[in-house]
Amino acid sequence: MSVLPISPSQRKLVQLPTNRKIFLEGPAGTGKTTVGIERLLYLMSSGIPGTSILILVPQRTLGTPYLDAMNTPGVVAGGIPTVITISGLAQRMVELFWPTIAEVAGFAKPDIPPTFLNLETAQYYMAYNVRPLFDEGLFSSVTMDRNRIYSQIIDNLNKAAVVSFPHREIGDRLKSAWSGEPGQSRVYDDAQLCANLFRDYCLKHNLLDFSLQIEVFWNFLWTSTLCREYLSSTYHHLIVDNVEEDVPVTHDLLSDWLPLAESALVIYDSEAGYRRFLGADSDGAYKLKQLCADQVVFSKSYVTSPEIQSLSAYLQNALHRKSAPLSRIDPRLALRHQTHTYYPQMLDWISNEIESLINDEGVSPKNIVVLAPFLSDSLRFSIVNRLELKNIPVKTHRPSRSLREEPATHCLLTLASLAHPEWGFVPSKFDVAYSLLQAIDGLDIIRAKILVDIVFRVRGSIPALSAFDQIIPSTQERISYVLGEKYDHLRLWLEEYRQSSRGELDHFISMLFGEVLSQPAFGFHSNYDLGQVTGNLVDSIRRFRKVTSECLADAGIPWGKEYIEMVQAGVIAAQYIPSWQTQEEDAVFIAPAYTFLVNNYPVDIQFWLDVGNRSWAERLYQPLTHPYVLSRNWMQDKIWTDVEEVETGERVLFALVVGLLNRCRRKIYLGLSEYNEQGFEQRGPLLQAFHRILQSLATD
């Protein structure tokens, strides 16, 4: 059965015999994933058990369409196929075969089960090992937050694992490609030292971060007959989607596995590779084509309009990366732009255009995205505030925005500090006022400050809140008795909790949210984003407790106190899958351009902000790592120069622009301002490309 409308060419491919190995390539929007879903259903309807089908994707959200298809009424029964990433597969195999490989892999306690680390718990243990070295001058020349230092060292380990080179070579590879100041070599040596310390600690305590999971799986499990036969006998049919976004070790695995499989469908996006900064290798993925007898190319887009396709061809030529045949259709029909002198004027124009699209043209908010090369907090606030004033639903996501930057997290952890005075945290009056502002519906910052100045006291290093009825009547009236009643309700709840037998930190936050903050008259009641942040925070705390509570208990450190300290230091900074899910709610989506691309879904309207910004064509500044040097395609001992930097920027911009246009149905709106957010003039390569297009069309 079909759950999606498909064309004759798609149907022909879907209904190939169930023993064929197919390599399907084409740009985004040509129906490749639709074929993958229908092929899955066809295999199952042909009598193949779902339990014998493995669907491999580079990140979990890209498996969502397959899971949704399995939930469609009428889908043939026969077990649920496995939808998984290389990380998930490695973790399952390590857990299953742990007794057979723990000792040979170098773990100090092979008789004790392993502990798997996520990004934030890996950062915690990295900080635990590295913090003492900062006092000895480590990274003294690096001006960067410590949590970014930790994450880049972890990223180096991940690159070594997925590219399959020894982690002790990281520093040498980075130094061999460096051509700048000699002092940078010491930074790479420091990064290597930290990576070695972290890896040794993990082996000593049976901790497996992503890099160690991949290394153990690839070096010790896949090479063993037991594990290889288990996987190949369990999963006879493979569906691999977005293979170009996956890492080299995945391609190595598939090179071995495809000849053993009964059937396979490998799906390759010919104009992608957006996750290169995470180790993706589109060149290595394309080599899998030779292992598939059926090789199919899709070129017809089911997403983009002829006008958008014409704009794409003109932009490809203007960026000088590809000579595309030009259409007779005027690309300006797919483009709307207006130049403004100042940045706020551009934001006003964008919000007005979005309002017009929704109210006058009937465009659904979920079919509008607002994209920028990077999304700063000030830009995020400015756009959201403008749209909310127009009663337009909006949702934002910035992967680099961690939990500690969320106002809800600040509120919850400040209240947790007040409820656990034995931890020794004394929040400032500003922190308490800001927390009450978030917690109590209707409270403004002026009255919150007046209230906290009176009721918040520190007695012998113990913070406490006094009752509202102790305030003089004139000030009570100024704050209002309604807000005073809400404050007293929250204060009494915290006091009762302090007097009772206290639970764990995650239990405290769950109770606080459920019994107080989510109730009517409190700040979290009607705000679903705050509810999501609270859920993510509870999940983060629970995982931290599971991984660290035993070792912290041995050291006599309350793990709840340690968690709050790590958040305040910026170490705990995980992002969560629910925030990455495709936008199901009817809301305008605001995000960095790459975040939208990785989510991989089309919309009607795209707004491109800051078009003159050079960041559209620049990679992130990462002084401790380098995604291109630590890749399989980089020749060792080759120097990374300005030539490579410029060429890489051009490739990045070209892939980004083509990817965005392939996911747009109707029109692109360009946000143009002569001065950027910081007040500087903008003349980036993307802006210049649009200028060339418009000038050439004006002279025709």
Side-chain angles (χ1 to χ4, degrees), residues 432-449:
V432 177
Y434 189 65
S435 298
L436 293 180
L437 180 67
Q438 299 293 323
I440 299 174
D441 187 30
L443 183 64
D444 57 72
I445 189 64
I446 301 298
R447 286 185 286 185
K449 185 179 184 304

Side-chain angles (χ1 to χ4, degrees), residues 81-145:
T82 299
V83 182
I84 204 167
T85 63
I86 184 64
S87 174
L89 183 66
Q91 182 172 328
R92 289 190 188 185
M93 294 304 101
V94 170
E95 198 166 22
L96 181 62
F97 294 102
W98 175 255
T100 67
I101 52 89
E103 187 171 2
V104 69
F107 290 93
K109 304 172 183 177
D111 53 332
I112 298 176
T115 299
F116 297 100
L117 306 180
N118 63 3
L119 175 60
E120 68 180 3
T121 49
Q123 283 191 359
Y124 169 75
Y125 280 112
M126 178 66 74
Y128 179 83
N129 283 275
V130 172
R131 268 182 301 177
L133 299 179
F134 280 97
D135 297 332
E136 300 175 9
L138 209 70
F139 300 115
S140 58
S141 62
V142 178
T143 55
M144 188 169 59
D145 291 341

Side-chain angles (χ1 to χ4, degrees), residues 228-468:
R228 185 180 293 223
E229 288 185 351
Y230 170 81
L231 285 173
S232 58
S233 62
T234 302
Y235 301 111
H236 303 281
H237 304 270
L238 304 178
I239 296 176
V240 187
D241 205 345
N242 289 106
V243 67
E244 79 289 340
E245 302 294 348
D246 227 323
V247 293
V249 72
T250 304
H251 306 147
D252 295 340
L253 173 68
L254 291 170
S255 296
D256 292 342
W257 201 341
L258 284 173
L260 305 175
E262 290 183 25
S263 79
L265 172 61
V266 180
I267 299 174
Y268 178 91
D269 190 334
S270 55
E271 295 175 345
Y274 312 117
R275 289 162 48 93
R276 252 190 196 90
F277 64 97
L278 294 176
D281 180 14
S282 57
D283 295 335
Y286 200 69
K287 294 176 182 177
L288 298 173
K289 181 177 181 178
Q290 62 192 13
L291 300 176
C292 301
D294 297 287
Q295 300 171 2
V296 182
V297 178
F298 281 179
S299 57
K300 178 184 176 181
S301 176
Y302 296 96
V303 172
T304 56
S305 65
E307 293 80 10
I308 288 288
Q309 293 174 24
S310 176
L311 177 60
S312 180
Y314 272 86
L315 261 179
Q316 289 177 44
N317 288 328
L319 292 170
H320 308 303
R321 296 293 306 177
K322 184 177 180 181
S323 180
L326 299 180
S327 168
R328 294 182 179 179
I329 299 174
D330 190 339
R332 289 173 293 188
L333 296 173
L335 200 61
R336 181 169 172 77
H337 61 92
Q338 185 170 319
T339 302
H340 305 86
T341 303
Y342 300 110
Y343 207 80
Q345 294 173 330
M346 177 193 70
L347 298 180
D348 289 336
W349 175 76
I350 287 171
S351 61
N352 290 334
E353 290 294 321
I354 292 174
E355 182 181 37
S356 176
L357 285 167
I358 294 172
N359 296 334
D360 300 336
E361 299 185 30
V363 178
S364 172
K366 69 180 179 182
N367 274 315
I368 301 173
V369 296
V370 181
L371 307 173
F374 299 108
L375 190 64
S376 65
D377 283 334
S378 58
L379 176 57
R380 178 177 180 264
F381 172 80
S382 297
I383 302 173
V384 170
N385 185 56
R386 283 170 167 81
L387 294 179
E388 287 181 343
L389 289 174
K390 297 177 181 294
N391 295 317
I392 296 173
V394 58
K395 183 173 179 64
T396 69
H397 181 65
R398 193 186 78 196
S400 61
R401 184 178 174 87
S402 63
L403 275 176
R404 72 167 181 157
E405 297 176 73
E406 298 290 349
T409 301
H410 182 277
C411 168
L412 292 165
L413 295 185
T414 299
L415 295 177
S417 299
L418 294 174
H420 299 84
E422 70 278 7
W423 290 348
F425 296 115
V426 180
S428 67
K429 286 188 174 183
F430 173 81
D431 289 337
V432 177
Y434 189 65
S435 298
L436 293 180
L437 180 67
Q438 299 293 323
I440 299 174
D441 187 30
L443 183 64
D444 57 72
I445 189 64
I446 301 298
R447 286 185 286 185
K449 185 179 184 304
I450 294 171
L451 177 63
V452 169
D453 283 342
I454 298 170
V455 300
F456 180 64
R457 293 289 181 268
V458 180
R459 301 184 181 94
S461 76
I462 297 178
L465 297 172
S466 59
F468 183 74

Side-chain angles (χ1 to χ4, degrees), residues 609-623:
L609 302 188
D610 236 359
V611 175
N613 196 320
R614 299 194 63 85
S615 298
W616 286 92
E618 292 179 348
R619 65 185 183 89
L620 288 172
Y621 173 65
Q622 296 175 297

Side-chain angles (χ1 to χ4, degrees), residues 195-231:
N196 294 344
L197 286 173
F198 176 72
R199 175 57 59 84
D200 293 343
Y201 185 87
C202 288
L203 291 172
K204 183 178 179 181
H205 295 88
N206 288 17
L207 303 174
L208 287 93
D209 67 326
F210 170 82
S211 66
L212 198 47
Q213 292 171 37
I214 296 296
E215 286 190 20
V216 171
F217 170 70
W218 182 245
N219 295 329
F220 299 99
L221 286 175
W222 183 248
T223 56
S224 72
T225 304
L226 185 62
C227 178
R228 185 180 293 223
E229 288 185 351
Y230 170 81
L231 285 173

